[in-house]
Amino acid sequence: MNKSVTALLTSALLATAIPASANDDSQLFGGQISGNVKMATDYVFRGESETMDGEVPVVQGTLGWSNDDGWYTGVFASNIKFADPNLEIVTAPYIGKAGEFGNSGFTYDVMVFSYLYAGASYSNYTELWMKVGKQFGQAHVQLEVTPTLDDWFGVSGWQGVNYAIHPSYDFNNGVKVSGSFGYQDLDGEGAEGWTHWNLGVEAQYVGLNFDLRYHGSSVDESHLVYGTQTEIFDDRVVFGVSKSF
C-alpha cells in the first residue's frame, strides 16, 4: 500500500476513533456520532475480491451520524487493489433513512451509497440500497434490491441491480450466524450478471467483533465480464476483526 493510500486510511480511522473518547458527549445536530474500524484478510463485495485475489489485507473505517427519527449519514473508506493501478482506495459517502412500517414488525432501510475512487474518478458510481427486514424470535431475514443510479463502475451504458436475501440467527451465547445469497444483474453491451453468496459466524470478545466468513460465486472463465481474471471470484474464507465506538 503506497504512502498516499496509507495516509488517507489513517485519517479516516483517526476520525472514526474520535467518538471513542466522547462517550455521552458525542451528540451532533440532535443525533449520535458513531464509528467502526476493521482489519480483514480481504474485502469481498458480492463475491468479488476487491484486493486482487486477496493480495493485500484491508483496513477499513466508517464514521457515521444517526438520529432517533431514523435518518443517518456517514462515510466508509477502505484500501483496495485492482488491475488498474489507479484504484487504490474507495471512499463511500452515504445517506439514508431506516424505520418500521407502523407497528407491523417489518423494517425498512433506504440508502444512497456512492463509490468514489481517488485517482480514478472515471470508475465512480452510485447505488440506491433498499432493504426490508423482519425479526422472527432470534432469527432475522432481510431482503435487498439495489439498483445503480448511473453507469455501473463508470462503464458507459451498463446498469445493474443486486437482488439478495440476508438471513441471520443470534444464539444465546453471543454467537451469531449470518449469510447472504444474491444475484448481481448487469445489463449493457457485453455485460453479464452473476450469483454470489456468503456464510459466516460472528462473536464478540474483549470488546472486539470477530468474523469468519466463506464467500463464493458463480463466475468462471466463461463469464463475459471477468473471464480473464476470474481468480478474484474464487471461493475464499475471510477473517476480520472490528471495533465499534
Side-chain angles (χ1 to χ4, degrees), residues 144-168:
E144 173 199 336
V145 178
T146 300
T148 56
L149 298 182
D150 48 12
D151 292 334
W152 181 86
F153 210 60
V155 181
S156 179
W158 282 19
Q159 298 292 315
V161 182
N162 186 60
Y163 304 93
I165 180 171
H166 310 283
S168 63

Side-chain angles (χ1 to χ4, degrees), residues 22-136:
N23 295 323
D24 294 335
D25 297 326
S26 56
Q27 294 281 333
L28 182 66
F29 301 122
Q32 182 76 22
I33 300 294
S34 63
N36 180 276
V37 177
K38 181 177 182 179
M39 292 184 292
T41 56
D42 200 350
Y43 172 17
V44 180
F45 182 66
R46 297 174 189 164
E48 176 185 359
S49 169
E50 306 285 284
T51 63
M52 286 292 288
D53 197 26
E55 286 189 6
V56 296
V58 293
V59 180
Q60 302 175 333
T62 303
L63 179 64
W65 171 93
S66 61
N67 67 14
D68 292 340
D69 293 326
W71 288 100
Y72 62 89
T73 187
V75 62
F76 164 81
S78 177
N79 64 294
I80 55 177
K81 185 176 182 180
F82 285 91
D84 182 346
N86 294 319
L87 290 168
E88 298 178 314
I89 185 170
V90 58
T91 303
Y94 59 85
I95 185 170
K97 176 73 163 62
E100 183 179 356
F101 294 106
N103 297 316
S104 65
F106 286 91
T107 61
Y108 65 86
D109 190 349
V110 179
M111 174 179 65
V112 176
F113 193 94
S114 291
Y115 306 85
L116 307 179
Y117 299 94
S121 60
Y122 44 81
S123 293
N124 294 351
Y125 71 107
T126 301
E127 291 186 322
L128 176 63
W129 291 60
M130 298 180 289
K131 298 178 180 179
V132 176
K134 182 73 167 65
Q135 192 76 33
F136 301 93

Side-chain angles (χ1 to χ4, degrees), residues 8 14 22 32 49 70-71 91 102 105 144 154 176 184 205 230-231:
L8 283 168
L14 286 174
Q32 182 76 22
S49 169
W71 288 100
T91 303
E144 173 199 336
K176 179 180 180 179
Q184 174 64 65
Y205 182 68
T230 55
E231 67 278 355

